[in-house]
Amino acid sequence: MDLLLEFWTRVSATNAPLPALTVWVTIAAAALLVLVPPAWKLTRHGITIVHEGGHGLVAALGGRRLQGIRLHSDTSGLTVSRGKPRGPGMVFTLLAGYTAPALLGLGAAWMLSRGHDIGLLWALLAALALLLVQIRNWFGLWSVAVTAAVVFAVTWFGSPTVQSIFAVLVTAFLLLGALRTVVELQVTRSRRGGSASDADQLARLSHLPGPFWVLVFFAVAGACLVGAARLLGLV
């Protein structure tokens, strides 16, 4: 019981707000992780983890049978689920990928706005643990395990200030990374024409053009970014 009490005390603890300058410097660091190509090549795996996790979560909630998730070294991924090939369940499953990082970022900003920085990190750890059991390839296992190890190290060993800075960094990275992946999606579609992207699959299901769905992804990412900024008092 003492261990459980100590754990709950850690999880439910609230952190004091960071100085505004520290927050902005941390956001700038997150922007560099997204905008600098060598950094993005590595950190984009984090966005892919959330993207595929979003597909898997919504597929399961929609009654589809989740068969596994694969993450690849080129930062692509694949979530396989079994169910009706058409209908709302399939549409929402496809919608979930590109919107998941932005929505998670907005949820993270909400937790930060209430001082639950450490609670956010524990929630991320729990989500990564649930995702790990659905991974079906070695690179995916390694990718999720390393990500979880980094989050755990900060969560367990970091000071409250380090935890808060890391939580802001993750939140800003998710929000900015969500926007970049949508832009990359449209660039790839423009170069290749029709493809098997989420937007093109949605186009075939709904008879609405692929660019419409790209715009939907971008609108969600933009709205989440603005909403998060307001929650954190940045605008």
Side-chain angles (χ1 to χ4, degrees), residues 153-183:
V154 175
T155 303
W156 193 259
F157 300 108
S159 67
T161 299
V162 169
Q163 292 167 354
S164 293
I165 290 174
F166 185 73
V168 172
L169 181 69
V170 170
T171 301
F173 172 73
L174 287 169
L175 293 162
L176 297 174
L179 282 170
R180 172 152 187 178
T181 54
V182 175
V183 172

Side-chain angles (χ1 to χ4, degrees), residues 16 20 57 83 85 128 142 164 185 190 203 225:
L57 175 62
L128 287 166
W142 179 86
S164 293
L185 168 64
S190 298
L225 180 62

Side-chain angles (χ1 to χ4, degrees), residues 34 39 44 54 56 59 63 107 134 169 209 216-217:
V34 172
R44 195 186 191 284
Q134 294 296 335
L169 181 69
V216 169
F217 296 152

Side-chain angles (χ1 to χ4, degrees), residues 218-235:
F218 193 85
V220 171
C224 288
L225 180 62
V226 172
R230 289 180 176 176
L231 282 171
L232 296 175
L234 302 176
V235 293

